[in-house]
Amino acid sequence: MHLPPEGAPPLIYTWLVFVHIFVTMLAVGLNASYVIWILRGTKDSASLPFALRGVKFIDDYVANPCYLVGGLSGALMIGMGKSVAPFLWVAMGLYVVAMAIAYGVYTPLLSRQIRVLEAKGSGDVEYQRLARRSNQIGVLMGVLVVVILLLKIFEPPLW
Ligand code: HEM
């Protein structure tokens, strides 16, 4: 049960927790689907541009906005008086790092990968280098989000 902090209107706080968990759940689930799209596209090079453009659309217009709403709803919960335990500070720090990598590295990298794919094809050395790099960055962001989730569920006493 997500007890509302003292003085916070219980129904509003509970809806905020609902929104927070729903949007982060959606974003994490969509992120996980990228692996399937990219693997299927890689197996069939004719559909690879469609698969990568689909991943980019989901990332730009659904997953990342959901993470932003997740951050905002989290900040509002704290604003309503939710105490910030050490695990939550660490989770927020990892969130900032993950969002910086998402907008600062993954988004431009995926754009470039799609451009090179459409200009030179999936056999091109530069395309393959970009594909390897964006897969590595994707795995790193996946690990960060899973660590955030583990911190939220297990609430370990860090310090
Ligand atoms: C990838 C990012 C995030 C994910 C996946 C995530 C996920 C979750 C989940 C699953 C819970 C519920 C945990 C439980 O039932 O005990 C939760 C709770 C919470 N999250 Fe997040 N969160 C994320 C980012 C953030 C950020 C950036 C903040 C703060 C700015 C935040 C603040 C909170 C707070 C305050 C709660 C406690 C709600 C309560 O129990 O009253 N979260 N989060």
Side-chain angles (χ1 to χ4, degrees), residues 2 13 20-21 24 67 71 74-75 77 82 92 95 148 152:
H2 301 272
Y13 187 82
H20 182 72
I21 297 176
T24 53
Y67 280 125
M77 288 189 276
K82 178 75 186 179
M92 289 193 283
Y95 170 83
I148 292 172
K152 292 297 177 70

Side-chain angles (χ1 to χ4, degrees), residues 50-129:
F50 175 79
L52 287 182
R53 284 198 172 283
V55 164
K56 181 148 184 58
F57 182 90
I58 295 169
D59 207 47
D60 292 350
Y61 297 108
V62 191
N64 285 345
C66 279
Y67 280 125
L68 291 177
V69 174
L72 179 64
S73 54
L76 286 172
M77 288 189 276
I78 294 167
M80 288 174 86
K82 178 75 186 179
S83 60
V84 184
F87 75 86
L88 193 49
W89 282 118
V90 174
M92 289 193 283
L94 293 177
Y95 170 83
V96 172
V97 171
M99 294 309 281
I101 295 172
Y103 280 100
V105 181
Y106 190 74
T107 297
L109 184 59
L110 188 55
S111 301
R112 203 155 142 233
Q113 185 184 348
I114 293 168
R115 273 200 309 278
V116 172
L117 175 67
E118 290 174 346
K120 302 181 179 173
S122 60
D124 178 75
V125 177
E126 191 195 358
Y127 170 77
Q128 290 178 358
R129 186 179 59 75

